Amino acid sequence: MKNRKKQFLKLGIILLAIAVTGTVAGIIQYKKANQFDLTVAEHVISKEEYLNCMKAVEYDTKIQIQQEYGAIYEDDFWKKQYDGKHGYEILADNTVEELKHIHAVYDLAKEQGDITDSSYEALEKRWKDENAERSEKVEKGEVIYGLKEYTFQLYLDYEISTLKEKYCNDTNREGMKLTEDEIQEHYQSREWIFGDSDENADLEMARIAVERELREQKYDDMITQRETGSQVVGNMENVNRLTLKNIQ
């Protein structure tokens, strides 16, 4: 009788262990299936980075959907389907595209030595450091140029613009040396008018503007190429779910 009780006790413990193991495994699988998982150009994207970027493109995406599909912005706007795709899925796609663009800019800047770290965390630190420095100057009564404090998005826009300008101003960088044929061709591609005059400016008068626009165009093409070759890996179903959950 005692042996039979011991056998039942052992069997109960084994069954309990199996049940617990199964429950834990189920929880782990559930968490894994529902966790945010997105990598863009080898950069692991955090929820914070994704949501910051999503908010930045949300308005433009809303306008895009309204213009392309004649949609009216109302309560179920993001849940409606447009050519077989929900509004929040279009927003998720646009967010990923913007992330590809941002990381293309910062990866190129790192390669050129303009920044030492192209990660989101490094960008966030530079933003906070810039605001701290401006705040300190304000307290000391020193003159500051521009805003007293940047929002994250304004700082991102400012830094991206600065990195582009720095690249385009350096004629030793790839694509920034222009031949006279390129300059002539770009000049002839459209009219160049200065001031209130309706007359076309000749090449020598327009040269600075022509060269600047041509370099910026080449830079933009370089970034676009990098975006096109940028790999995106992750669980888009969960990305879409997070997008819907956080739309205003």
Side-chain angles (χ1 to χ4, degrees), residues 175-212:
M176 295 301 105
K177 270 194 173 70
L178 306 177
T179 67
E180 195 60 31
D181 287 343
E182 285 179 312
I183 296 169
Q184 185 72 34
E185 184 180 352
H186 192 65
Y187 168 74
Q188 293 175 345
S189 67
R190 66 177 181 83
E191 294 182 346
W192 298 83
I193 298 172
F194 286 90
D196 298 326
S197 172
D198 290 332
E199 295 182 7
N200 288 349
D202 60 29
L203 176 55
E204 290 316 305
M205 186 180 294
R207 180 175 289 274
I208 293 175
V210 172
E211 290 184 5
R212 182 177 65 245

Side-chain angles (χ1 to χ4, degrees), residues 181-243:
D181 287 343
E182 285 179 312
I183 296 169
Q184 185 72 34
E185 184 180 352
H186 192 65
Y187 168 74
Q188 293 175 345
S189 67
R190 66 177 181 83
E191 294 182 346
W192 298 83
I193 298 172
F194 286 90
D196 298 326
S197 172
D198 290 332
E199 295 182 7
N200 288 349
D202 60 29
L203 176 55
E204 290 316 305
M205 186 180 294
R207 180 175 289 274
I208 293 175
V210 172
E211 290 184 5
R212 182 177 65 245
E213 185 174 282
L214 183 53
R215 287 193 177 97
E216 289 180 352
Q217 192 178 91
K218 286 191 164 196
Y219 174 88
D220 290 341
D221 289 345
M222 197 180 305
I223 295 300
T224 299
Q225 278 187 336
R226 284 172 170 261
E227 288 177 50
T228 303
S230 178
Q231 281 196 324
V232 176
V233 179
N235 188 329
M236 284 307 297
E237 186 177 332
N238 290 342
V239 171
N240 289 335
R241 190 180 296 121
L242 180 71
T243 303

Side-chain angles (χ1 to χ4, degrees), residues 108-116 166 173:
L108 176 60
K110 183 182 177 183
E111 289 171 17
Q112 297 296 320
D114 297 330
I115 55 174
T116 57
K166 189 170 185 178
R173 298 191 180 189

Side-chain angles (χ1 to χ4, degrees), residues 28-73:
I28 291 172
Q29 284 186 337
Y30 174 80
K31 286 184 175 179
K32 188 173 181 181
N34 288 276
Q35 69 183 4
F36 183 77
D37 174 27
L38 182 64
T39 301
V40 174
E42 299 184 354
H43 292 272
V44 177
I45 308 299
S46 66
K47 281 186 181 181
E48 180 188 2
E49 180 179 4
Y50 179 85
L51 291 175
N52 272 337
C53 189
M54 187 198 85
K55 295 301 179 186
V57 301
E58 186 175 325
Y59 176 77
D60 286 343
T61 302
K62 181 179 78 171
I63 299 301
Q64 172 195 340
I65 293 172
Q66 288 176 320
Q67 291 178 344
E68 289 184 10
Y69 304 102
I72 299 173
Y73 188 68

Side-chain angles (χ1 to χ4, degrees), residues 159-180:
E159 195 169 64
I160 285 178
S161 176
T162 300
L163 291 171
K164 178 177 180 177
E165 184 177 1
K166 189 170 185 178
Y167 189 100
C168 293
N169 286 343
D170 188 346
T171 56
N172 291 319
R173 298 191 180 189
E174 181 184 347
M176 295 301 105
K177 270 194 173 70
L178 306 177
T179 67
E180 195 60 31

